[in-house]
Amino acid sequence: MKPLTLSGNIVDFKVNKKYQDNDVFRVFDMQSKHGGNKNIYLITTEESENLWGDDENKVYLYIDGLYINKKNKNFIVLPKSFSYLSSGDAIAFNFSKKNLRVLFRENSRHNYFLVTENCNHYCLMCSQPPKNLDDSWVLNRLKKLIPLLPCKTDFIGFTGGEPFTNVDSFLEIISLCNAHVQANHIHVLSNGRYFKDRLIAEKLSKVANKNLTIGIPLYSSVDWIHDYVVQSKGALNETMMGILHLKEYGLNIEIRVVLNKITTERLEETALWISKNLPFVNHVALMGLENTGFALANDDVVWIDPVEYKKALSNSVNILQSVGLSVSIYNLPFCVLDQSVWNISRQSIADWKNAYLPQCETCQAKPYCAGFFSSGRPKLSSGITPVKDSKVLELLK
Amino acid sequence: MVKFLSQSDFFTQKEELVLLPFRFERMADGRFIISNLLGDMDFFTEDELNKIVNKDIFPGDGLYERAFSLQFIANAPQEFQLQTLAARLRSRLQFLQTPTPLHIFVVTLRCEHSCPYCQVSRRSCDKQLYDMPLEIAFKGVDVAFQTPSPAIKIEFQGGEPLLNFSLIKEIVLYSERKSSEIKKYVSFVMTTNLALMDDNILSFCKHHNVHISTSLDGPESLHNKNRPRPGGNSYQLAKQNIQKIQKEWGNDYVSALMTTTEASLSDVKGIIDEYVNLNLGGIFLRPLSPYGFAIKTKYYKKYDDHEWFDFYKKGLSYILDINKKGKHFPEFYTALILKRLLTDIPTGYVDLRSPSGIGLGALIYNYDGKVYAADEGRMLAEMGDHEFLLGDIKKDDYFDIILSEKLISIISKTLTQCAPQCKDCVFEPVCGADPVYHYATQKDVLGIKSLSKFCSRQKNVISYIVNILQNDPEDAKILRSWIR
């Protein structure tokens, strides 16, 4: 399965008003004509046939609620690959460059917004390699986007780069979320280092609601190992100080351990250390490696066949759970996991992340399995085998 | 092309390396246990210990990583380990913020059993002198409700409390009224041999949520030998009433305690089977304490601590087998130690605390209104020794009692954090002061620890558990399941 096309070029458009680049628009159905600024209407197949003729390769949007006829019309024509768009979605258009980016999809339970590509880490397996350039326009675009989100949105995620690079602007975004959206979960992926400054943790606590969780990667209990993975000396110290400060202000914390060759070598030790020193965190996520970005360049240092750490992983889960921690495993198929941890293996909530292989067709666990990344260049474990044990399947249901 | 730095670019320099506080102790097999400030511990060889002490360790050699992870060493300019340890120490001592959650009422000293190992020196049934009067009971409740703890537990003790159940009813009703008036949560537990249990009593307990803690020493012959009563039917009555409570109320409302006597030593499996068959949620392989009749009848001296430790080890291994078959069945003392070893959750168990749990953890209101710092303290008093007498309910309130010179002096003398021998002990973070035991056996609340059976038992049990945790993954998994 291929990932959805989230950005691309506009095939054709005509708009009367002057729009700025990166203005954000919300998609509505033809039927529910809301009117108002920054709304575009999606023309359904049937209507587009009437208005435009039968052209299967294009998606039609029209803008600003003007009458539609072939002569006097504002319209945007997109490639067919955007036909998944539906009511509630949000799109940024650059009419000057004739391109667009889909920022939010109502049908996805996994809308992550990139805040910046700047980062003070340079992780060996980063799936989204950071760039050192001024991208403050991304934050400005987010400020336009947030008020357009459906007011009942279950999940909003923020990622980077390091989202707290520009602390004040990002805290504004969090405030905007709270003002416009009743979200059940707001998740921010951060390395937590900026919170080594207690004042920043305090500032965050003033704008954050109970629904906010900061997801923080932690790779080892040993200074140099964590610092090496994130390629920054002193990182573990600052991240840990950050976690302590976030806890001091009652913020929700998730620890994320990406399972690669380096982190799995001492995984049980790391788990024991987390269980003793950070038993207060709200969630521990153990995550299979996404073979993309820097992970490809550092293949020899980070790649490990998950079957090699199967036992260490299940022991680590046991250690973490025994002190009452909530633990989940992501991005790893059942066939490479010990059966004792199948119940905490989560299917990615990203609808494009659960891809499967031809041999998965005969596997009875497939409907519940996390499968494989559809992104990057998936590297396959030697342990992949269809599951055919009906007793075990009972447990999954 | 992107450039990545190599591992060695992140290595801590030798001059940045500092030692954090840790303690160590040589085991019988020559290995050393090393423990950090909070009781995170593991086994090391003598050579490894020397290397750590001399900072003769280097990133990547494996020993550096273990020592760093256990917080024996730190990178000097970095403060996260010190801050983490400080936060954890605060958690461990959190019980100090909610003093005296437990209040024990000795509602009568009368008992219809005549156990030779009795730790409380019961009196025979016909002496009304040994019942607690109503006004003393109510004053005791008033004092209990003065404690800062937001939740208190009232425990009914004896003698046999069921011989004065009418008073228990009054205390429960009065406490419930006070609880709703001043918004302090109260719960109840009654320690009883169950022989005199009847439907009315059970119905009252169920309605007012008075949990039951009883005694069960093992199979019928052993139990009845240990616990004689007229009719010789202690076992039968206990068993039948345990089952009745479980059936009519639920398994969680009744628990049992066993006392190890010389006769128990040869039958640990039989004793454990008895608990398993009765669906009791676990067992406490409890050694006899040197108080009350146990001293007078010389029962206490009938086995030594090595014999008890063998009994415990055999028992624990049998219990682990039971758990391996899929039944959750903890040994409660092991579970207490595990909780101290693997978490920073402040313990409610008064003997495993420092500062000691006497007074701060529990107060005992004797039938005559005298207030003691520990249950064992009133047992000593029955033998004529008033070391742990803190006050009298007829004239003192909670603050008179808890701030008494006597209590403060005992507690400050016995802090394991600075007590001789304790302060250097590798197990200190996991252990407790137990001044009552040391006073009872050595006439000194601090005691010489190398002569203390409490101390040798703790060292034996804790190192045994640590060894399983580190060296037997399958058993370790079971032990970890007991801490919650």
Side-chain angles (χ1 to χ4, degrees):
Chain A
M1 183 179 159
K2 284 190 69 173
L4 289 175
T5 311
L6 294 176
S7 59
N9 291 321
I10 302 169
V11 176
D12 192 11
F13 74 96
K14 181 182 158 197
V15 289
N16 285 341
K17 263 207 234 165
K18 265 277 172 218
Y19 291 104
Q20 287 176 358
D21 275 359
N22 277 313
D23 266 358
V24 182
F25 298 82
R26 166 163 58 180
V27 176
F28 277 102
D29 284 336
M30 268 295 265
Q31 282 79 13
S32 60
K33 284 174 189 161
H34 259 255
N37 200 15
K38 299 295 161 62
N39 293 332
I40 48 178
Y41 295 89
L42 184 63
I43 300 176
T44 57
T45 323
E46 204 178 293
E47 289 151 349
S48 72
E49 272 176 38
N50 291 336
L51 295 162
W52 306 87
D54 184 10
D55 187 343
E56 284 186 0
N57 295 318
K58 287 163 189 161
V59 181
Y60 299 92
L61 304 167
Y62 83 101
I63 199 161
D64 278 2
L66 293 175
Y67 292 112
I68 308 176
N69 58 55
K70 290 205 172 187
K71 285 174 190 157
N72 176 18
K73 58 188 181 275
N74 287 335
F75 63 83
I76 307 164
V77 183
L78 305 182
K80 187 72 177 174
S81 52
F82 288 95
S83 62
Y84 61 80
L85 285 172
S86 68
S87 176
D89 293 354
I91 309 172
F93 287 105
N94 289 315
F95 292 112
S96 70
K97 298 182 191 117
K98 281 193 79 171
N99 64 24
L100 76 150
R101 173 167 277 274
V102 178
L103 301 177
F104 175 84
R105 288 185 307 119
E106 173 137 48
N107 285 336
S108 169
R109 290 178 293 147
H110 189 263
N111 283 290
Y112 266 103
F113 305 127
L114 182 96
V115 177
T116 174
E117 292 188 278
N118 289 226
C119 194
N120 47 355
H121 280 178
Y122 207 71
C123 301
L124 292 172
M125 66 295 175
C126 182
S127 58
Q128 201 132 25
K131 290 178 190 143
N132 188 13
L133 42 83
D134 177 13
D135 58 9
S136 48
W137 61 272
V138 179
L139 271 162
N140 292 330
R141 189 174 72 184
L142 269 178
K143 283 178 195 164
K144 295 177 196 168
L145 165 71
I146 301 293
L148 297 181
L149 295 178
C151 91
K152 285 211 163 41
T153 299
D154 182 59
F155 177 91
I156 302 174
F158 294 100
T159 178
E162 167 52 45
F164 288 96
T165 303
N166 188 340
V167 174
D168 292 328
S169 294
F170 185 59
L171 292 181
E172 258 181 73
I173 303 274
I174 303 273
S175 307
L176 271 177
C177 283
N178 291 333
H180 291 277
V181 189
Q182 297 167 21
N184 290 325
H185 308 283
I186 300 178
H187 193 268
V188 186
L189 272 174
S190 161
N191 60 42
R193 287 176 68 178
Y194 285 97
F195 303 108
K196 71 173 192 292
D197 180 352
R198 180 187 266 108
L199 281 176
I200 293 181
E202 189 187 352
K203 268 189 188 172
L204 175 63
S205 73
K206 285 188 176 148
V207 302
N209 287 345
K210 275 277 160 249
N211 59 3
L212 182 99
T213 299
I214 310 289
I216 300 177
L218 204 54
Y219 297 126
S220 174
S221 54
V222 181
D223 53 354
W224 72 265
I225 300 177
H226 177 90
D227 293 358
Y228 167 57
V229 174
V230 307
Q231 293 280 299
S232 173
K233 185 139 170 96
L236 178 64
N237 183 48
E238 292 187 5
T239 291
M240 282 297 292
M241 288 308 295
I243 290 173
L244 292 177
H245 290 149
L246 289 170
K247 169 65 184 166
E248 192 179 321
Y249 287 98
L251 292 148
N252 301 322
I253 302 160
E254 174 191 69
I255 297 295
R256 302 189 143 212
V257 184
V258 173
L259 304 166
N260 63 34
K261 192 176 176 182
I262 306 159
T263 60
T264 53
E265 197 178 326
R266 311 189 73 88
L267 189 60
E268 287 157 275
E269 183 179 72
T270 308
L272 192 63
W273 176 78
I274 291 172
S275 78
K276 285 180 173 172
N277 293 285
L278 302 169
F280 53 80
V281 299
N282 305 73
H283 186 225
V284 178
L286 304 166
M287 326 199 49
L289 181 68
E290 187 176 2
N291 210 40
T292 187
F294 284 164
L296 298 172
N298 290 313
D299 184 75
D300 54 330
V301 236
V302 296
W303 163 256
I304 180 171
D305 185 334
V307 293
E308 285 182 45
Y309 59 73
K310 188 173 174 176
K311 194 76 210 146
L313 179 58
S314 59
N315 285 344
S316 300
V317 169
N318 179 253
I319 289 167
L320 292 165
Q321 286 180 330
S322 68
V323 299
L325 280 164
S326 151
V327 188
S328 302
I329 296 173
Y330 294 96
N331 308 339
L332 289 168
F334 286 129
C335 49
V336 302
L337 296 175
D338 190 87
Q339 280 183 11
S340 68
V341 297
W342 281 20
N343 61 332
I344 58 153
S345 164
R346 317 274 178 231
Q347 283 187 306
S348 172
I349 48 175
D351 41 14
W352 52 272
K353 261 192 185 177
N354 305 304
Y356 301 94
L357 303 167
Q359 58 263 53
C360 298
E361 290 313 311
T362 60
C363 175
Q364 296 179 33
K366 186 186 160 195
Y368 315 98
C369 182
F372 305 89
F373 281 105
S374 55
S375 57
R377 257 176 272 161
K379 235 176 134 163
L380 301 178
S381 165
S382 62
I384 295 165
T385 18
V387 175
K388 285 171 182 165
D389 183 348
S390 52
K391 250 198 330 220
V392 175
L393 289 172
E394 279 309 305
L395 291 173
L396 294 172
K397 292 167 193 170
Chain B
M1 189 58 201
V2 287
K3 273 259 193 282
F4 293 95
L5 299 170
S6 68
Q7 295 188 354
S8 56
D9 293 316
F10 300 94
F11 286 171
T12 305
Q13 300 305 306
K14 185 154 185 159
E15 59 272 17
E16 293 171 326
L17 208 59
V18 287
L19 298 182
L20 294 175
F22 60 81
R23 304 179 175 101
F24 51 88
E25 188 153 319
R26 192 195 296 269
M27 296 291 110
D29 61 6
R31 289 183 304 168
F32 281 79
I33 290 188
I34 314 182
S35 160
N36 73 5
L37 197 62
L38 299 169
D40 303 343
M41 55 182 85
D42 198 356
F43 291 93
F44 291 83
T45 65
E46 185 167 358
D47 181 50
E48 288 169 332
L49 171 64
N50 283 329
K51 282 183 169 161
I52 294 170
V53 172
N54 296 322
K55 294 194 267 181
D56 193 13
I57 48 178
F58 305 93
D61 68 5
L63 187 55
Y64 174 95
E65 285 71 25
R66 288 178 73 201
F68 195 93
S69 202
L70 286 161
Q71 283 143 305
F72 304 156
I73 55 165
N75 183 328
Q78 302 187 350
E79 59 169 331
F80 88 88
Q81 286 175 306
L82 284 176
Q83 292 302 332
T84 312
L85 289 169
R88 291 180 55 190
L89 188 59
R90 274 201 299 279
S91 298
R92 289 193 153 233
L93 292 173
Q94 222 168 28
F95 61 83
L96 291 173
Q97 289 181 328
T98 52
T100 325
L102 178 62
H103 301 267
I104 299 173
F105 285 71
V106 181
V107 292
T108 179
L109 210 55
R110 294 183 293 137
C111 187
E112 31 62 70
H113 272 62
S114 49
C115 312
Y117 61 54
C118 182
Q119 295 162 24
V120 304
S121 310
R122 87 274 145 193
R123 301 288 167 164
S124 57
C125 288
D126 50 349
K127 293 181 181 164
Q128 291 296 330
L129 281 85
Y130 297 109
D131 281 7
M132 181 182 264
L134 187 68
E135 65 272 23
I136 291 205
F138 280 11
K139 276 195 175 149
V141 173
D142 291 342
V143 168
F145 273 88
Q146 281 186 300
T147 63
S149 180
I152 60 170
K153 182 185 263 184
I154 290 180
E155 179 177 331
F156 302 110
Q157 271 261 16
E160 170 47 48
L162 290 184
L163 286 169
N164 196 7
F165 193 71
S166 58
L167 181 73
I168 292 178
K169 276 187 182 170
E170 295 293 339
I171 294 176
V172 168
L173 296 172
Y174 181 61
S175 303
E176 283 174 347
R177 279 202 303 276
K178 283 209 82 128
S179 169
S180 59
E181 256 168 49
I182 63 173
K183 309 273 175 275
K184 199 185 276 286
Y185 181 80
V186 63
S187 59
F188 306 100
V189 62
M190 177 166 62
T191 300
T192 166
N193 60 42
L194 287 179
L196 303 173
M197 194 66 168
D198 65 29
D199 287 344
N200 287 334
I201 294 170
L202 179 54
S203 156
F204 182 89
C205 290
K206 192 175 165 186
H207 192 248
H208 294 273
N209 214 9
V210 181
H211 288 220
I212 308 292
S213 169
T214 191
S215 298
L216 184 70
D217 277 4
E220 182 161 9
S221 60
L222 175 64
H223 181 98
N224 283 343
K225 187 179 169 206
N226 280 353
R227 304 180 61 79
R229 80 184 293 274
N233 58 352
S234 176
Y235 171 85
Q236 199 192 340
L237 291 171
K239 179 175 176 173
Q240 149 193 332
N241 281 310
I242 288 170
Q243 287 172 327
K244 188 171 181 178
I245 296 165
Q246 288 173 332
K247 185 163 163 263
E248 288 178 23
W249 193 5
N251 282 359
D252 296 344
Y253 299 96
V254 57
S255 60
L257 272 177
M258 60 83 64
T259 299
T260 310
T261 60
E262 193 194 12
S264 321
L265 295 174
S266 59
D267 193 19
V268 72
K269 288 186 183 180
I271 295 169
I272 293 163
D273 285 340
E274 193 66 40
Y275 273 68
V276 173
N277 294 338
L278 267 172
N279 283 318
L280 293 160
I283 191 168
F284 197 147
L285 297 174
R286 192 171 64 138
L288 202 54
S289 304
Y291 317 111
F293 282 4
I295 296 280
K296 212 171 180 177
T297 56
K298 304 208 165 54
Y299 248 68
Y300 177 67
K301 293 238 157 113
K302 285 195 175 167
Y303 60 88
D304 66 23
D305 47 341
H306 295 292
E307 286 172 280
W308 178 82
F309 186 50
D310 285 340
F311 170 81
Y312 165 84
K313 283 191 288 191
K314 256 187 260 162
L316 187 61
S317 129
Y318 186 58
I319 289 169
L320 285 167
D321 286 342
I322 291 167
N323 281 267
K324 275 176 208 161
K325 289 176 195 140
K327 188 177 176 65
H328 177 80
F329 186 84
E331 197 284 309
F332 291 128
Y333 197 67
T334 312
L336 284 168
I337 301 282
L338 284 164
K339 206 167 172 176
R340 303 285 283 145
L341 278 168
L342 299 174
T343 80
D344 301 317
I345 299 164
T347 180
Y349 192 70
V350 292
D351 293 350
L352 291 183
R353 280 182 181 181
S354 179
S356 162
I358 60 167
L360 296 175
L363 282 172
I364 289 77
Y365 309 92
N366 211 0
Y367 66 96
D368 58 1
K370 296 278 195 292
V371 184
Y372 293 93
D375 202 17
E376 298 84 352
R378 59 122 173 167
M379 298 167 185
L380 286 170
E382 296 300 335
M383 298 156 73
D385 188 325
H386 298 283
E387 175 75 9
F388 296 98
L389 175 64
L390 297 181
D392 193 320
I393 213 72
K394 292 190 269 304
K395 58 180 176 54
D396 298 321
D397 72 3
Y398 175 75
F399 298 97
D400 298 329
I401 294 162
I402 212 73
L403 299 174
S404 65
E405 279 303 319
K406 204 178 215 171
L407 185 62
I408 291 169
S409 151
I410 296 171
I411 286 174
S412 54
K413 263 191 233 165
T414 57
L415 292 167
T416 58
Q417 290 88 341
C418 48
Q421 293 182 291
C422 288
K423 76 177 173 60
D424 300 317
C425 176
V426 71
F427 302 120
E428 187 279 325
V430 189
C431 199
D434 208 348
V436 191
Y437 178 95
H438 291 107
Y439 183 79
T441 51
Q442 301 185 18
K443 282 279 171 274
D444 180 71
V445 287
L446 179 57
I448 298 168
K449 294 300 190 296
S450 43
L451 302 176
S452 161
K453 283 190 189 177
F454 170 83
C455 178
S456 64
R457 186 178 83 216
Q458 289 291 87
K459 282 183 192 283
N460 280 337
V461 171
I462 300 167
S463 54
Y464 191 67
I465 296 171
V466 174
N467 196 36
I468 297 176
L469 285 176
Q470 301 299 339
N471 298 316
D472 190 330
E474 201 191 348
D475 285 351
K477 199 169 169 178
I478 290 164
L479 292 185
R480 282 201 199 92
S481 74
W482 291 356
I483 61 180
R484 295 193 61 211

